[in-house]
Amino acid sequence: MIANTAAKPASAPASRTGDERLIRLTFSAAKKAGSLLAKQRRPNGVLRVAVVGGGCSGLQYKMDLQDGPANRDILVETAGVRVVVDPKSALYVTGSELDYLEALDGGFKVKNPNAATSCSCGESFSA
C-alpha cells in the first residue's frame, strides 16, 4: 500500500500514512537528514520532498525540513526518518530513492523511475 487514511485527533493535521513504495531513503540520506533535523532541534521533524515547476527540464525537486506533516500529506517512515510528500508531488516521486553523496558535486540526489528525461545536474526532470 502506498498510502492509507489514518484517523488522527482533531488537533493533528489530517495526513495519511504511506510506505517505502512511495519514496525511500538510503542509509546515507537518512543519516544526513537525521543529523540536519537534530542540528535544527526538530526531534519530531520531517523531511519534505516536493516537486515544483522550474529547472531546465520543467520540474524540479524541493526539499525542506519541517516540524511535522501538513494537512493531506503522505507520511512515510524510511530508514528511521519521517518523510512527507504532498499528494500532487506523490504522482511524480512514487518509487523514487533519495540518496546523499559526500562529494564536490554531491548532496541529495533523487533516483526517479518516473522521470522521462533529466538534466545533467540531476536537479530537474520531465515526466
Side-chain angles (χ1 to χ4, degrees):
M1 170 180 295
I2 293 175
N4 66 0
T5 304
K8 300 281 183 188
S11 62
S15 62
R16 299 178 288 167
T17 303
D19 63 35
E20 289 185 333
R21 287 180 289 174
L22 175 59
I23 191 165
R24 76 175 201 86
L25 272 59
T26 64
F27 174 77
S28 178
K31 182 178 173 185
K32 184 63 175 181
S35 72
L36 291 171
L37 286 165
K39 188 182 230 182
Q40 290 189 5
R41 293 184 175 95
R42 296 178 187 229
N44 297 315
V46 297
L47 170 65
R48 174 170 300 283
V49 177
V51 174
V52 296
C56 52
S57 295
L59 297 169
Q60 63 186 5
Y61 303 105
K62 180 180 175 188
M63 292 174 225
D64 191 19
L65 300 175
Q66 298 180 341
D67 291 328
N71 192 28
R72 300 188 65 226
D73 278 344
I74 302 168
L75 174 67
V76 176
E77 185 152 345
T78 171
V81 175
R82 296 177 349 136
V83 179
V84 293
V85 180
D86 66 87
K88 185 176 177 183
S89 296
L91 297 171
Y92 295 104
V93 301
T94 297
S96 293
E97 177 183 77
L98 182 61
D99 195 9
Y100 182 79
L101 305 173
E102 291 276 352
L104 185 59
D105 64 342
F108 286 101
K109 303 291 182 185
V110 180
K111 296 176 187 167
N112 188 340
N114 305 304
T117 61
S118 62
C119 65
S120 61
C121 68
E123 305 230 347
S124 70
F125 69 100
S126 67

